[in-house]
Amino acid sequence: WVPPILTYDQVKPKTEQPSPDSYLIDVREPDEVVQGSIPSSVNIPLSVLPGSLYMKAEDFEKKFGFKKPRRDQEIIFYCRSGVRAATAGDIAKKNGYEKLYNYKGSWLEWVQKEGHK
């Protein structure tokens, strides 16, 4: 199984009009996220993703500061270059999540397209 790939042009509108039915999840580690992140994204480091998907909803929200994704909710993963995002999709798929996508260009493409340093 390979998660469907989204392009910058498909991800950009989702950052401008975030929806509670869709999560853009950054799976980079906290020391990478401090360098910047895509607007409206939330962070679950790949290193803790497998365990976090088993957490009770209340515990998840306390730990991460946002509601635990529903299994039928759209989830778009990104990382630095798209590799960890694909791994995150595999992990979520094995945990029963259905609407999974990989923003393959991830942070490197986002910064390039947005004109950030």
Side-chain angles (χ1 to χ4, degrees):
W1 180 81
V2 178
I5 304 294
L6 293 184
T7 64
Y8 168 84
D9 292 328
Q10 291 169 302
V11 172
K12 177 74 174 171
K14 294 176 182 296
T15 68
E16 295 168 335
Q17 293 189 327
S19 161
D21 295 323
S22 178
Y23 272 147
L24 178 58
I25 299 179
D26 183 346
V27 296
R28 296 176 299 158
E29 296 301 313
D31 63 321
E32 296 173 278
V33 176
V34 296
Q35 299 165 13
S37 58
I38 296 175
S40 82
S41 67
V42 293
N43 177 240
I44 305 175
L46 184 61
S47 59
V48 300
L49 181 66
S52 68
L53 296 177
Y54 287 107
M55 296 173 88
K56 290 182 184 167
E58 311 82 58
D59 296 337
F60 181 97
E61 193 167 352
K62 272 187 204 154
K63 179 169 180 142
F64 295 105
F66 60 93
K67 291 191 181 304
K68 182 178 176 182
R70 299 182 317 273
R71 292 194 194 285
D72 65 344
Q73 189 168 3
E74 178 182 82
I75 300 174
I76 303 161
F77 290 110
Y78 81 94
C79 56
R80 181 179 167 274
S81 62
V83 176
R84 286 175 285 176
T87 302
D90 284 344
I91 292 167
K93 181 78 171 172
K94 288 175 182 154
N95 280 278
Y97 288 82
E98 299 161 13
K99 295 179 188 168
L100 304 168
Y101 300 89
N102 178 1
Y103 172 28
K104 191 170 183 176
S106 281
W107 179 244
L108 292 179
E109 181 185 55
W110 184 267
V111 169
Q112 179 206 357
K113 298 262 189 187
E114 292 287 304
H116 296 134
K117 294 176 186 162

